[in-house]
Amino acid sequence: MRFAADRTFDVAVVGAGTAGAAAAGFCAEQGMQVVCIERARLDCAGARWVNGVPAQAFERAGLPRPGGDELRGGQSDFHLVAGRGPERLLIRNHGVVEVDMRLLVARLQRRARQHGALLVGETAVRSRDGGLLHTDQGTVRARWIVDASGLSGPRLMPRPPVAARHLCSAAQRVYRIVDRRAAHGFLARHGADLGETLCFTGIAGGFSILSMRAEDGQLSILSGSVTAAGHPSGNALASAFVARHSWIGEPLFGGARAIPLRRPADRLTDGRVALLGDAACQVFPAHGSGIATGLVAARILADELASGRGLHGYAATWQRECGGTLAASDAFRRFSQSLTVREVAALIASGALDAEIARAGLAQTFPRPPLHSLLGKAIALRSEIGLAGRLAAALARMIATRALYARYPKRPDQLPSWSRAVARLFAETPDVE
């Protein structure tokens, strides 16, 4: 379609995946005139695989929980294995559900349309000039622009680059199981059962996993690693595993992409454009999931615009509510990326990494033990002095980071000094000068 030259929207959203479609629906629900522009076909937008999402994120975003075919699995037991084992953690009652992202995106797009948003696919955004979006189908005028286009989008406002060492090469695919007895036997040999998640961690460097869940004749495999460190990609890890096991049949659906693992962008808006989802690095870095944080960010964005606090209100509210947890998770991820399988096993054996902390990671929340309890985790590693020191430093950085994000500035002119303080914690260049 060609955009009408005389029409002005309240909000133009670039990207119709989970975060973008959710934002379009939430803003339209609040009575705003919304257009959502997607460069691919609308039925190909966003992630096309199965993702674990904390159920509470749907409640925070004001959305019904997944059901029917969209819900691929409930809150089954999660086995976190150091390397190939035997050291492991069993995590129960973690609150994470398995969701078919194809159907979630479709639901969010339907919801946006029902509330009056205009969704346009197969349209590329070329550039921005103030409140004008130049596309290959004409120019769009909007009061506010939301960039939910991911890492490879048109970069409608300056944002920090994501270094290769902070990129996860992730893949997720669903396969047919051709020999259920053999599938059950493999899980049983590793202490798991059908319907439960078996996650081998550290198999290709500190930040790497091969996670699987078998049920109803299908096997879901999630894999990922940091290839900049010289490790095989998530795709390669999964392909190698499938090739070794004849009970795994043909792939049914799935995909792969790079996931940003760094802390959220310090500046989420320039007053006209807001960053959302992967474009804002709104991802839980400890394991690279961004669906929950994107949904919550979309809700906060719409509520702040409707309240009159605008895009700076969105930035401050989201950073104070969610940014600190994600940035603290980044501090832990940088520590975990340095771990060997032997060190992961030592963390588990000593109790320094226990089910409560792992459960918080899956639920994408900050661990609840008090300060002395967290630091006591490092003391438990007294036989591993070097590892204990690294863990203590990571925990201290996590605590300091959370405290700093609780004071995220509400005035844009205060942001450079705040950004410098965060950068000092992470020994990096500030995002905002």
Side-chain angles (χ1 to χ4, degrees), residues 86-238:
E87 206 67 59
R88 70 181 58 216
L89 288 173
L90 175 59
I91 308 158
R92 293 190 165 109
N93 304 316
H94 45 71
V96 176
V97 294
E98 297 288 315
V99 183
D100 188 327
M101 300 309 301
R102 302 170 302 171
L103 300 183
L104 174 59
V105 171
R107 170 160 66 110
L108 293 171
Q109 290 181 355
R110 284 195 305 272
R111 186 180 186 279
R113 288 195 186 93
Q114 289 166 359
H115 286 290
L118 173 64
L119 272 64
V120 181
E122 299 179 275
T123 300
V125 173
R126 302 300 191 194
S127 61
R128 173 182 78 95
D129 180 12
L132 300 179
L133 274 180
H134 302 296
T135 81
D136 58 4
Q137 299 299 318
T139 298
V140 177
R141 298 175 182 270
R143 181 181 179 187
W144 297 297
I145 297 169
V146 178
D147 185 350
S149 61
L151 285 180
S152 59
R155 301 184 71 85
L156 300 176
M157 66 168 273
R159 48 180 162 145
V162 181
R165 67 182 183 279
H166 301 318
L167 282 175
C168 173
S169 168
Q172 200 285 332
R173 285 188 174 81
V174 176
Y175 297 83
R176 191 181 310 281
I177 295 175
V178 295
D179 186 339
R180 298 193 185 195
R181 184 173 181 179
H184 188 273
F186 174 85
L187 294 172
R189 287 193 298 275
H190 292 280
D193 202 350
L194 294 173
E196 299 176 352
T197 298
L198 178 62
C199 180
F200 300 106
T201 184
I203 58 171
F207 188 93
S208 62
I209 64 164
L210 183 71
S211 180
M212 63 199 68
R213 183 176 178 275
E215 193 170 34
D216 298 329
Q218 295 183 357
L219 176 73
S220 294
I221 297 180
L222 171 66
S223 53
S225 69
V226 178
T227 56
H231 304 302
S233 67
N235 235 340
L237 290 173

Side-chain angles (χ1 to χ4, degrees), residues 284-303:
F284 194 78
H287 49 61
S289 179
I291 302 303
T293 52
L295 291 176
V296 173
R299 168 56 72 185
I300 291 173
L301 170 64
D303 289 349

Side-chain angles (χ1 to χ4, degrees), residues 80-82 87-89 201 343-354:
L80 182 67
V81 184
E87 206 67 59
R88 70 181 58 216
L89 288 173
T201 184
E343 288 175 329
V344 174
L347 288 170
I348 294 174
S350 68
L353 176 60
D354 59 19

